[in-house]
Amino acid sequence: MFLSADELSARAAGIPVAIVGAGPAGMSLAMRLAERGVDSLLIEAGGREPVPDADAFRGSVGERPYPLMASRMHGLGGSTGHWGGWCRPLDPVDFEPIEGVPLTGWPISRDEAYTHLARAHELLEIPDARYEGEDVLAAASATGIALPGQDDFGHAVFRFSPPTRFGLRYRSLVHESTRIHCALDCSLVSIDQAEGRTRLHLLDTAGRAITVRAGASVLAMGGIENPRMLLWSNRRHGLALGGAGDWIGRCFVDHFGRLSAEFLLPGVLDYGPRETAAGRLMAKLVPSAERVRRGDSPNHMIELVQSTQEHLLQPEFGQSGLLFGGRAEPRFRYGAVATAGQRPLRDSRILLDDTLDARGVPRARVDWRIDAADFQGVLDSLDLLGRHVAGQGLGRLRRREFHVPAPGEALATGMHHIGTTRMARDEREGVVDRDGRVFGTQDLYVAGSSVFPTSGYANPTLTLVALALRLAEHLADREARA
Amino acid sequence: MTGLDRRAFLRRAALASALAVALPACGPAAPDPLEQVSRTRLDALARGLVGFEAAPFADNEPLDGLRRRIAARLVAAGARGDALEAPLAELVLAEHAAGEVDVVQGWVLSKTEADLLRLSARLHAEAGTSPRLAEVAEESAPLGTFLSVANWGPRSTCERRGFNVQTDGHSSLWIEFEGPSPGRMVVVVGDERVPTSQAGQLLSTRIEADQVSRWFAAPGPVPLYVYSAQLRQRQKIGDFDVLAAGGFARREDGQLSTAFHEVTNWGPRQTAVGEPFNSPDGEASAFWVATRCAPPGARLRLGDRDLATTVGPDAVSGLLRGRSLLQAPARLPLVLFDPDSGESIPVGEFTVGDP
């Protein structure tokens, strides 16, 4: 049900779970809690329609440009109001500690993270959730580059949500639910602790202050807002939320993309969404897990897109079969877009800006940094792909933007805000524990991609919904025990 | 990497590495590699390379030095005399596999491949020729299949007559396709390209009035193609039919019409009193008149009633709404009328009641 301001005040105390943020994580969490018979208060700064918040989302950036306003939305459904629907679980190697690469590895196994993967697919309305299997991989690679006899590269499968707009799709469910109590147009302005319990200080659009004391509180505000609020609350109230490790806001990760290379290749390749016998899917070229495990490069994906650029070598060059192991046929131009999940870097971080938003909360400052080795690893991977392609007589590689970008150079980003309240075994390594509970607290949790310790190359929504469902189970069990 | 392919890859890499070690041994005491392979054949192979810009490969290195360097690698790879192709093909693959490469304008080429292109560029420069480049024009590109066509239209017109005429007077063909787009595409009508725009999975063309007059002047099929700039191939979409209009009809005054062609058939020619015919809804009645290439604004008129008229390339149809003209026995003239020219021609006499 949706609450009026007066109803919110009445619900402010005694609710088992308070969730701040009605994006995919917060709404998935509330819906699963309702299924488990647990009441929750779902607090959303925006209204029924997701829109960018021109005030709260403003901020500043460090040396590298970052589209701070481009992706975040306030309102029921949050950023699902404009997402593209690409879905894929993280790879097993994304959960593993990589020797020689700091800050890799999750404190939970992939199986634990994805205990509720099937339900996550249901919520995201993905009818076919198969990513592996002979028929699926055959369908995926049918229009991809064929590189037999090597195991440096393979094809990975993405599936598609319609994309589900959580606000539209689940609005009536929230409206009709007797367990979900949803307060719109109500912003969290700080968190404090009293007698070991968390208090959420809210401000509605009429300027009324409301304090919520719930059995458990969950921040599900997004990968920039979650650390911003924790950092601010620590400063405002002299707290040590997240423990003494100074990890809040650190290890900010996003997927970066570059059109770094081009290829001459035979045939019509298609790395876009396709209807296949194995359902709607999309394939990307990915490095082998072994290469990622060796630390050669961050996990990444390569998409080949058709290009009509005129170059030194033209399609007819492929008619010189002598240079292609005897395979004389035209070779066509493809751009190679590599998208990587950067490896965590402590100095890549969200900080508090010097300016305040209209509610008196310091705005966010994004200092996005990427290790040069991550760029180089991707370039090396493209070079390796070029060696396979040319060594098998298929085509040729052209190094296009083949340098490590300067720190001030703008990059294409996934606008996936990851890692800023990272999950860890203890407060020396992160902000939340394996259940998502903030270190130094008993009842404050975080949901969303900010808890991912690493990102892989896959889009985060499927994983963050799966983790929110896992958190719902934990909170429902906790409530049952209470 | 598994199986034979892995072994082949490693063998090639090992071959390239061995060559890299072997090359410095080609000193003054070693036999001249240019004596061991056919210089004529080597030059012919280089000249035969196509599809690259020569200028970036041109330099001032003495030709024989360049030939000798290539020959040395070929000899190490087992080439002798005229038998160069197979060792060369293997050598290029091996060098790529081993990372024995040169980078020219970003393109990663095997060392021998790059030298061969340099030799080709020099030989072409001396002969005043150039390596064959993108000679294939849109209208003569090889045929292939790269597009899944869902629908296209219009599919016919009359001689010299525009079709799907847009507000500024140009005619337009459209092609709807499914699946991936192979980059930029151009529609080719017969052997002439047409300005083509693409929006999503729809191609639309702009065919000017003078082009209509020239391209569709004579009856018969005109092949329609889509050319892919990416693939440098054409795909045939179908045949666009240009219809013969036939002879001109005679007006009521006995003169030949300049607007209408002969009516070869029409119907229905009668109905019972009060009975609609060819009725889509039980009330309206529909006539058809077989005549080709009627003016686009032509109207069918029954008695003094203009019918809702549709003009097609082969026929004109008219819809009589209501039954008022059918309430009593009558013989009503059916006429084709062209508001633009003011001409009309008799079609026939329609009978209500007994014939």
Side-chain angles (χ1 to χ4, degrees):
Chain A
M1 68 192 78
F2 289 101
L3 303 180
S4 66
D6 291 341
E7 289 169 331
L8 170 60
S9 297
R11 284 281 172 189
I15 194 86
V17 179
I19 304 162
V20 187
M27 289 187 75
S28 300
L29 181 56
M31 288 190 286
R32 182 58 190 150
L33 285 171
E35 289 169 0
R36 289 285 307 267
V38 178
D39 282 34
S40 66
L41 177 59
L42 183 60
I43 301 158
E44 169 55 45
R48 293 186 183 226
E49 302 292 339
V51 291
D53 189 323
D55 175 54
F57 292 164
R58 276 169 52 202
S60 61
V61 297
E63 190 172 6
R64 188 177 300 285
Y66 193 83
L68 199 50
M69 296 289 294
S71 63
R72 295 178 293 162
M73 298 186 104
H74 272 163
L76 199 64
S79 57
T80 62
H82 64 179
W83 76 307
W86 292 20
C87 287
R88 174 178 171 81
L90 302 184
D91 292 345
V93 72
D94 296 328
F95 288 82
E96 299 173 12
I98 306 296
E99 192 177 339
V101 182
L103 303 169
T104 49
W106 287 48
I108 57 174
S109 71
R110 187 175 187 270
D111 285 348
E112 286 176 287
Y114 289 131
T115 310
H116 304 283
L117 189 60
R119 178 70 176 130
H121 280 102
E122 287 174 18
L123 286 175
L124 293 166
E125 302 176 286
I126 303 169
D128 194 333
R130 295 173 303 145
Y131 297 87
E132 304 293 340
E134 203 169 308
D135 62 327
V136 174
L137 291 175
S141 56
T143 58
I145 182 173
L147 286 171
Q150 57 81 38
D151 53 14
D152 286 326
F153 294 94
H155 281 112
V157 171
F158 281 76
R159 296 287 186 175
F160 294 95
S161 170
T164 303
R165 311 284 179 211
F166 271 55
L168 283 173
R169 176 67 181 81
Y170 298 117
R171 178 189 298 167
S172 59
L173 187 151
V174 171
H175 177 67
E176 291 162 12
S177 173
T178 57
R179 295 286 185 192
I180 302 173
H181 310 268
C182 183
L184 299 174
D185 300 310
C186 198
S187 298
L188 178 65
V189 290
S190 76
I191 308 162
D192 77 353
Q193 298 252 301
E195 298 170 352
R197 290 187 59 197
T198 294
R199 294 188 301 189
L200 304 174
H201 298 292
L202 312 177
L203 205 59
D204 70 12
T205 50
R208 281 176 294 200
I210 301 154
T211 299
V212 172
R213 293 182 188 81
S217 298
V218 183
L219 301 184
M221 304 159 69
I224 294 177
E225 295 299 293
N226 286 343
R228 176 187 174 212
M229 187 50 61
L230 288 170
L231 287 168
W232 165 239
S233 299
N234 278 347
R235 181 194 289 180
R236 168 86 173 76
H237 300 294
L239 302 175
L241 302 174
D246 184 23
W247 285 104
I248 298 172
R250 292 187 177 276
C251 298
F252 172 70
V253 161
D254 197 347
H255 295 120
F256 65 89
R258 301 265 289 169
L259 176 54
S260 298
E262 287 167 323
F263 284 89
L264 276 183
L265 290 165
V268 177
L269 307 176
D270 184 4
Y271 281 89
R274 288 181 291 122
E275 295 293 344
T276 74
R280 183 168 165 78
L281 52 74
M282 175 174 68
K284 302 293 177 199
L285 269 172
V286 295
S288 69
E290 193 49 45
R291 289 178 49 214
V292 177
R293 212 169 269 134
R294 280 200 308 261
D296 293 353
S297 70
N299 209 355
H300 59 280
M301 59 181 178
I302 298 170
E303 178 180 16
L304 298 172
V305 294
Q306 290 165 348
S307 162
T308 54
Q309 292 283 313
E310 292 294 333
H311 286 314
L312 177 68
L313 302 187
Q314 302 192 346
E316 289 76 9
F317 187 64
Q319 302 286 14
S320 303
L322 203 59
L323 304 179
F324 293 90
R327 298 177 56 169
E329 57 180 307
R331 264 71 175 179
F332 306 118
R333 302 185 189 98
Y334 291 90
V337 180
T339 302
Q342 66 176 105
R343 292 176 286 202
L345 204 59
R346 187 173 155 86
D347 287 342
S348 178
R349 61 191 297 198
I350 308 295
L351 302 127
L352 294 179
D353 190 41
D354 295 334
T355 60
L356 305 180
D357 70 15
R359 304 168 187 93
V361 179
R363 294 195 168 95
R365 176 174 178 77
V366 178
D367 187 2
W368 186 30
R369 301 186 187 195
I370 303 170
D371 196 319
D374 287 357
F375 290 114
Q376 192 57 54
V378 173
L379 298 179
D380 291 346
S381 185
L382 288 165
D383 247 351
L384 181 61
L385 182 61
R387 279 178 66 177
H388 283 301
V389 160
Q392 294 199 20
L394 288 175
R396 292 290 181 272
L397 162 74
R398 178 181 177 238
R399 297 170 180 167
R400 181 173 154 151
E401 297 292 332
F402 233 70
H403 63 274
V404 174
E409 194 172 329
L411 300 171
T413 80
M415 288 177 276
H416 304 141
H417 313 133
I418 295 170
T420 50
T421 62
R422 63 197 324 263
M423 183 186 284
R425 287 171 189 80
D426 57 52
E427 63 187 70
R428 290 170 301 177
E429 296 178 342
V431 177
V432 302
D433 69 8
R434 47 182 289 121
D435 294 321
R437 185 176 54 84
V438 175
F439 290 122
T441 74
Q442 298 300 314
D443 58 358
L444 179 61
Y445 292 80
V446 178
S449 55
S450 65
V451 305
F452 299 6
T454 59
S455 69
Y457 55 81
N459 300 53
T461 302
L462 176 64
T463 298
L464 71 87
V465 169
L467 286 175
L469 296 172
R470 177 176 177 269
L471 175 57
E473 299 297 334
H474 170 80
L475 294 176
D477 292 346
R478 173 190 158 115
E479 176 64 14
R481 285 195 301 273
Chain B
M1 203 178 291
T2 56
L4 287 175
D5 289 305
R6 181 183 181 84
R7 285 197 292 277
F9 187 88
L10 293 174
R11 193 176 66 242
R12 285 174 189 151
L15 169 62
S17 298
L19 291 174
V21 171
L23 281 174
C26 297
D32 185 349
L34 267 182
E35 301 295 325
Q36 299 177 62
V37 299
S38 162
R39 182 184 313 213
T40 308
R41 185 69 191 138
L42 181 61
D43 285 0
L45 290 179
R47 275 197 209 93
L49 300 178
V50 296
F52 68 100
E53 287 178 28
F57 292 100
D59 57 25
N60 295 321
E61 183 178 2
L63 263 181
D64 269 351
L66 185 54
R67 290 190 182 103
R68 186 167 285 110
R69 194 163 63 234
I70 299 169
R73 291 200 191 93
L74 284 170
V75 167
R80 294 291 183 276
D82 282 340
L84 305 185
E85 284 94 333
L88 176 59
E90 185 73 8
L91 178 59
V92 169
L93 296 184
E95 288 179 339
H96 275 296
E100 296 288 330
V101 295
D102 274 355
V103 179
V104 181
Q105 291 190 356
W107 288 100
V108 180
L109 307 168
S110 96
K111 286 190 174 298
T112 301
E113 176 182 28
D115 278 343
L116 210 55
L117 291 168
R118 289 184 187 105
L119 178 58
S120 180
R122 292 291 302 282
L123 295 174
H124 276 294
E126 286 189 354
T129 58
S130 62
R132 183 158 54 83
L133 281 176
E135 288 175 348
V136 180
E138 284 92 332
E139 54 274 18
S140 56
L143 289 171
T145 302
F146 50 84
L147 197 65
S148 174
V149 176
N151 201 358
W152 64 278
R155 300 193 177 209
S156 65
T157 191
C158 296
E159 300 166 57
R160 290 180 290 277
R161 174 156 304 163
F163 47 88
N164 190 19
V165 178
Q166 305 299 298
T167 50
D168 65 354
H170 78 263
S171 297
S172 182
L173 283 164
W174 54 267
I175 298 166
E176 186 182 12
F177 62 93
E178 297 169 333
S181 159
R184 184 174 66 82
M185 288 181 277
V186 176
V187 172
V188 177
V189 177
D191 57 2
E192 298 206 43
R193 75 187 81 168
V194 182
T196 304
S197 58
Q198 181 173 348
Q201 293 181 305
L202 184 72
L203 299 175
S204 55
T205 63
R206 181 183 181 89
I207 304 175
E208 305 298 344
D210 66 311
Q211 293 171 319
V212 170
S213 308
R214 285 188 285 116
W215 297 350
F216 308 115
V222 177
L224 182 68
Y225 305 92
V226 167
Y227 170 80
S228 163
Q230 156 84 349
L231 304 180
R232 305 214 172 167
Q233 290 180 356
R234 283 180 306 161
Q235 178 175 329
K236 185 167 181 181
I237 302 303
D239 284 323
F240 183 86
D241 284 329
V242 180
L243 304 173
F248 283 102
R250 288 205 178 274
R251 303 189 310 221
E252 283 177 307
D253 61 9
Q255 299 298 308
L256 279 178
S257 168
T258 59
F260 292 104
H261 296 84
E262 292 169 330
V263 172
T264 54
N265 203 353
W266 67 281
R269 302 191 180 206
Q270 64 182 61
T271 188
V273 172
E275 288 297 318
F277 49 89
N278 281 346
S279 180
D281 57 6
E283 286 297 322
S285 302
F287 287 98
W288 55 268
V289 177
T291 180
R292 283 192 161 176
C293 307
R299 292 283 178 269
L300 267 174
R301 183 175 289 165
L302 181 67
D304 60 357
R305 181 84 59 89
D306 276 358
L307 309 185
T309 305
T310 303
V311 178
D314 286 320
V316 178
S317 60
L319 202 63
L320 170 67
R321 299 189 191 284
R323 303 188 185 193
S324 59
L325 285 181
L326 311 180
Q327 294 306 317
R331 299 167 77 87
L332 301 168
L334 184 65
V335 170
L336 265 172
F337 171 67
D338 176 29
D340 288 342
S341 63
E343 285 195 16
S344 63
I345 59 165
V347 174
E349 198 167 65
F350 179 71
T351 303
V352 181
D354 295 333

